[in-house]
Every structure is written in C-alpha cells, then in structure tokens.
Amino acid sequence: MEKTVLDCEQKTLIGELSQGMELAKQLMNHLDPSASHETRELLLGKILSSFEKSLSALNWGAFVGQTKPIISKPESPSHFGNSSPRSEGSDPEYKHRDVYKKRKTLPKWTEQVKVVSGTGLEGPVDDGYSWRKYGQKEILGASFPRGYYRCTHRNAQGCLATKQVQRSDGDPNIFEVNYRGRHTCSQSSRFNMAPSSRTSESLKENRNSCHLKQQPQEEKPPQEIVSEFGEGHLVKAEELENGEDDKFPFFSFPSTPIESENADDNIFESLMLNSHFIGSLSPTFISPATSESNLFSMSPCHINCYGLGHNVQTSESDHTDIISAPTSVTNSPIGDFDFSLDLDQNFQFDNPEFFS
DNA sequence: GTAATTTGACCCGG
DNA sequence: CCGGGTCAAATTAC
C-alpha cells in the first residue's frame, strides 16, 4: 500500500492546519479590546472552528479510511441497507439481534458542545458529517428530547456511525452529542484518500459536496452565525462497558495486520492533540454538580480528546477523571493512544466480536 | 420526484 | 415493566 505517501500528505496537511490554528489563536489573543469588532472575533472563531473540524476529520479519516469495511463479518452491514421491514416478516426474530449486538460493540464517545448565544444555532452539532435524523425521543428526566441521527450513507455504504443530540437540562446552550461508531463511508476517508494532487481547494470541495451540510435542528432554524463563535467542545472518548468480548475498537481497526501504519497514525494523533492543546489547556472546568447536566465552562475552541482504553468508564465517572487530571491530560491522551495501539495488536487476533 | 424529517410503534436490555 | 434506541410509513422540504 502506498500508505507512506498518504501519511506524508496527512502530516503536511495536519501540520499546516495546526500552524494555522495556532496563528489564529494568537491573533485572537492579540485582539485589540478597543476594536472589539465582533465580526473579527466571529471570523476568528470560525477559522478556529474550521481548523478544528479539519483536524478532527483528518484524524478520524486516518483511522477509518485506512480500514476497509469495518464489519467484515458474515452479517455485514448489508442488511442495514436492505429495507428489511420487520413487519412484513412473520419472522419474529428479525435481525434486530444483530443490530443491537453491533450497536453494543460500536465505539462510543461524547462531545459536549456549548453554544453561547441562544440563537438556536448549533454549529458544533454540525460536525462535518452528513447525518440523517431517524428518531427523536423524550428522555425521562430531561427537559428536551433526544434526537437520533445516523450517517446519511448508511444504506449506501454501510456506515454505522450514529449520534445522539440532546440539549442539556439546565442549559439550552449546551448540547450533548453522543457519537457512536466510526464513519466508514467514503466521505470520512476523503482526506485519507486524497492523492498528492489534492489541495485545500479540493478539500473544500469535498466538504461542500459531502460533508458540511447545515443541519436542521428540531428547534428554530439558525438565523445567525454569531453563536458559532462561542462554542466550546468537550470530547471524551468512552468505551462501552466492555464485556469480555468487547475490545475497544475505538477507531475501528480492521482485522488486517497493519503495524507501521498504526505507528504513523499515532503520530497524527499526537500532532492533532498537540495542536488542540496549544494554549488551550486550562482547567476551567466546573465540577459537575450532578451527573445529569454537566456544564463545562471552557474557553472557545477548547477540545479535549480522551482516548480510550483504561480510562474509559461510564459517562458519569468519566467526568471525574477528566476533572481530576487536567494537567496530565496533555500527555495522557498520547500515552493512551500508544496503549491502545499496542492492544490493537491483540485486537487483531481476538476480536471475537465479529465472529459470533 | 427525491431526499430528509416526523412520529408512533416496536424491540431489547436492565 | 419501563425506558431508551431503532424502524418505517407518512409527511414535509427541496
């Protein structure tokens, strides 16, 4: 495989993006208070946001893209596509068993998104992927319904990525976005597959054509883009309560042995994480009073990535982890990735997950 | 006409 | 049995 070339491409891209992001941040720091042109701030905010998205997508693509269809098990995603009406079947057992089983094994992580101005726009909720809403539910104890989204290309490409979006109880400005599963659709790997001829232009093209579609929300349609500036993220990776069988394919590793690639990807992780942590690591968390609505007060464009493995627990206790070790965080994720990659080696052999 | 959303019913796990 | 997650027909938007 010509991974090396691609990796170089990605490194360059990531490096540039990181630099740009840092510069933007610096610029933001040096904003003249007297000027206080919101437009400028807005612009900067969007720049940063854009960078974040790019980096994030790049990073994810690095993992997802290099994997071929993740679920290579016999009952591959195909039956997602088959409009398999359970009603028509006298088949009492449906395929739901498989579905739920799969659901359980998918990697899961939560992103807490804060939208400052209450205009109703959730820029952050639009994370760069195309989602289709497939359900909405009132959640007990929650003031707002939870929306269920799946990747638009699930049928076409068997992409199993889903997410849940729900407003926080107390704060309509906070959205909890629960991601589940990695994107296996071609879009998600757009960066990864980018040939050397690919420039930022084509990347932008990609974004427009595939990914970045404004996401209509259950609330009011967005009128202004102002709120996008004040957004804050908290990304935390979680693993499902891993049963014995459940390893944590947080990045959906294929069962094909790839070692050097992983190493390189690890570098990407570090790169990206570092870029995020540049000047953005401030333990400004507010300890969550309750496990329900966790309000994290953060500086704009503050993203924390928590990786995997040993660190993961249920969402509630997760918060404790996050808050309790804000300083070690800078290194921790990288270490975690290392850890995970190491485990990945094992994962290749015993991911009985897909054999059942 | 096609694609996305809405919405009530269904299924599963706890 | 209840609550959460998903499905799919109906409806709406493009």
Side-chain angles (χ1 to χ4, degrees), chain A residues 5-182:
Chain A
V5 180
L6 293 181
D7 286 351
C8 283
E9 282 293 314
Q10 290 180 335
K11 278 180 188 173
T12 305
L13 192 47
I14 292 180
E16 285 182 319
L17 286 172
S18 301
Q19 189 176 2
M21 188 167 169
E22 189 184 7
L23 288 175
K25 283 181 180 176
Q26 289 179 2
L27 186 56
M28 178 175 279
N29 286 337
H30 293 151
L31 270 182
D32 191 345
S34 62
S36 77
H37 284 327
E38 293 181 356
T39 48
R40 249 197 292 176
E41 293 186 358
L42 170 62
L43 187 62
L44 283 171
K46 295 184 77 169
I47 290 175
L48 290 178
S49 176
S50 178
F51 274 123
E52 285 174 2
K53 286 178 181 177
S54 300
L55 284 169
S56 176
L58 244 178
N59 174 63
W60 291 4
F63 282 89
V64 177
Q66 77 183 9
T67 72
K68 27 181 189 206
I70 285 173
I71 313 113
S72 49
K73 64 201 284 188
E75 35 141 55
S76 58
S78 48
H79 63 233
F80 277 76
N82 313 345
S83 51
S84 52
R86 52 160 178 261
S87 51
E88 84 180 52
S90 42
D91 188 13
E93 323 195 355
Y94 307 133
K95 356 249 162 151
H96 268 68
R97 303 190 76 82
D98 292 338
V99 173
Y100 283 97
K101 194 172 183 181
K102 206 173 296 177
R103 184 201 301 169
K104 230 188 155 167
T105 71
L106 292 175
K108 183 177 94 177
W109 67 101
T110 302
E111 179 173 351
Q112 309 236 350
V113 176
K114 180 176 182 178
V115 181
V116 164
S117 61
T119 58
L121 166 71
E122 306 86 70
V125 178
D126 178 13
D127 49 11
Y129 290 97
S130 306
W131 300 99
R132 171 178 293 185
K133 191 173 189 175
Y134 66 86
Q136 176 170 316
K137 263 247 156 181
E138 298 286 341
I139 301 303
L140 205 75
S143 338
F144 301 98
R146 174 180 300 166
Y148 298 88
Y149 299 83
R150 64 168 176 79
C151 178
T152 308
H153 304 83
R154 187 189 69 167
N155 289 344
Q157 306 181 27
C159 181
L160 297 178
T162 63
K163 75 170 179 179
Q164 304 171 358
V165 180
Q166 182 176 18
R167 285 194 181 219
S168 183
D169 282 345
D171 271 292
N173 292 334
I174 301 231
F175 286 85
E176 279 188 32
V177 184
N178 226 325
Y179 292 92
R180 182 175 289 170
R182 287 288 169 188

Side-chain angles (χ1 to χ4, degrees), chain A residues 44 89 107 295 316 318 350 355:
Chain A
L44 283 171
L295 164 58
E316 281 83 17
D318 249 351
D350 54 52
F355 298 160

Side-chain angles (χ1 to χ4, degrees), chain A residues 198-251:
Chain A
R198 241 203 234 198
T199 62
S200 52
E201 285 184 27
S202 25
L203 290 179
K204 195 167 57 181
E205 229 178 297
N206 259 335
R207 283 164 63 98
N208 291 335
S209 60
C210 303
H211 268 295
L212 292 181
K213 86 166 199 187
Q214 206 53 284
Q215 180 171 333
Q217 216 61 21
E218 60 267 21
E219 304 288 306
K220 292 293 164 234
Q223 319 89 341
E224 311 179 24
I225 317 182
V226 183
S227 60
E228 206 171 3
F229 166 65
E231 74 196 41
H233 303 251
L234 173 68
V235 182
K236 55 180 177 172
E238 303 179 2
E239 176 194 7
L240 298 183
E241 43 280 7
N242 47 342
E244 38 198 358
D245 288 345
D246 291 335
K247 303 298 180 240
F248 48 90
F250 179 65
F251 289 105

